[in-house]
């Protein structure tokens, strides 16, 4: 999981150099990030084609990363149902602990302290896959419906936050929003390594009801 985070940071911070390096690597994880890179530049058709080819080649045994990228592509296009479908494909193909943790990476911003404790206590990929079903069942605004629109909305927010609030730098006292330790954060706050605080709030709560800007 740490390797995935490292590659993601490299591609996000220095895309041109990262792409040239990835082309030389030719490892399965490098091929995935090479296929996903066009998505970050809004070249969605190209990214979808490359990801589909990688999925068909069976080179990457952990298919979760591919399906989750396809979920973001669908969300960027406004296709909430497609995002949900790709998400569940990622869950249905969980066979390893790492596969489950890759899915959890997309949900970690929302978990309650109790859910985080439960997830960390699960000892099999099958139990973690079941956890994801229960996780979204609790957040389904229309439990009797055929689909869960909250999943599509989550991926819409993730895409927007990635484009507008991504932050992969150091977290220090200078950018700590709680320097005087007056606030109470859920444990999921410490899991965020990809977004600034505005991004984390956006993923959790969506658009603000009003905005004020000051110099």
């Amino acid at each position: 999981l740490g390797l995935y985070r490292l590659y993601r940071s490299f591609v996000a911070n220095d895309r041109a150099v990262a792409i040239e390096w990835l082309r030389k690597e030719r490892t399965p994880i490098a091929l995935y990030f090479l296929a996903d890179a066009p998505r970050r530049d809004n070249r969605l058709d190209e990214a979808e084609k490359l990801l589909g080819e990688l999925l068909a080649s069976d080179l990457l045994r952990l298919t979760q990363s591919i399906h989750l990228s396809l979920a973001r592509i669908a969300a960027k296009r406004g296709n909430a149902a497609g995002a949900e479908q790709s998400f569940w494909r990622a869950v249905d193909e969980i066979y390893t602990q790492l596969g489950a943790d890759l899915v959890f990476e997309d949900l970690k911003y929302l978990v309650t302290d109790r859910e985080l404790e439960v997830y960390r206590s699960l000892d099999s990929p099958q139990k973690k896959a079941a956890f994801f079903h229960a996780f979204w069942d609790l957040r389904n605004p229309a439990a009797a419906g055929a689909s869960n629109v909250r999943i599509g909305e989550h991926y819409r927010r993730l895409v927007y936050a990635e484009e507008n609030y991504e932050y992969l730098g150091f977290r220090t006292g200078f950018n700590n929003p709680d320097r005087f330790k007056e606030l109470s954060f859920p444990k999921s706050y410490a899991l965020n390594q990809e977004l600034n605080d505005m991004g984390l709030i956006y993923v959790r709560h969506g658009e603000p009801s009003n905005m004020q800007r000051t110099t």
Side-chain angles (χ1 to χ4, degrees):
L1 188 59
L3 190 59
Y4 271 84
R5 289 172 176 165
L6 181 63
Y7 275 61
R8 181 171 57 204
S9 177
F10 189 18
V11 172
N13 287 325
D14 200 347
R15 187 115 68 254
V17 174
I19 288 174
E20 287 303 312
W21 183 80
L22 291 169
R23 285 173 177 161
K24 298 174 183 177
E25 281 294 289
R26 308 306 297 175
T27 59
I29 187 173
L31 291 173
Y32 159 67
F33 279 96
L34 191 60
D36 183 63
R39 176 187 64 80
R40 287 177 163 269
D41 295 323
N42 210 28
R43 304 199 314 269
L44 303 183
D45 291 342
E46 180 183 349
E48 187 175 44
K49 179 177 181 292
L50 292 172
L51 290 164
E53 290 173 351
L54 183 57
L55 189 62
S57 71
D58 205 29
L59 287 173
L60 191 66
R61 294 185 62 190
L62 290 171
T63 59
Q64 281 70 37
S65 54
I66 298 176
H67 291 308
L68 296 175
S69 286
L70 292 171
R72 294 192 185 214
I73 290 174
K76 177 66 176 178
R77 289 172 170 160
N79 182 4
E84 181 182 357
Q85 183 180 28
S86 290
F87 172 79
W88 287 124
R89 285 196 67 184
V91 173
D92 291 342
E93 295 177 16
I94 290 176
Y95 305 111
T96 66
Q97 298 283 4
L98 178 55
D101 289 344
L102 288 173
V103 175
F104 185 76
E105 281 287 280
D106 276 7
L107 309 186
K108 63 185 181 183
Y109 311 98
L110 306 181
V111 293
T112 65
D113 289 354
R114 175 57 182 159
E115 286 171 334
L116 180 60
E117 181 182 339
V118 169
Y119 181 80
R120 287 175 169 172
S121 71
L122 301 175
D123 57 6
S124 73
Q126 294 76 21
K127 290 179 181 178
K128 289 186 174 182
F131 170 90
F132 297 132
H133 283 276
F135 177 90
W136 283 118
D137 283 345
L138 287 172
R139 292 162 173 80
N140 190 347
S147 64
N148 186 340
V149 295
R150 183 63 180 86
I151 298 175
E153 169 63 11
H154 177 63
Y155 274 90
R156 185 196 67 78
R157 294 180 187 179
L158 277 181
V159 169
Y160 185 88
E162 181 184 66
E163 293 177 347
N164 295 276
Y165 304 120
E166 190 168 48
Y167 177 74
L168 295 153
F170 292 106
R171 317 238 168 198
T172 69
F174 292 104
N175 53 24
N176 184 355
D178 188 28
R179 297 181 188 181
F180 302 107
K181 301 188 183 302
E182 297 177 343
L183 305 177
S184 177
F185 293 102
K187 293 178 180 178
S188 59
Y189 177 80
L191 302 180
N192 170 37
Q193 299 180 13
E194 299 78 30
L195 307 173
N196 61 24
D197 295 308
M198 289 185 290
L200 181 60
I201 291 170
Y202 185 88
V203 169
R204 289 176 66 92
H205 301 291
E207 281 82 7
S209 55
N210 63 76
M211 297 179 67
Q212 296 183 18
R213 300 183 186 276
T214 60
T215 59

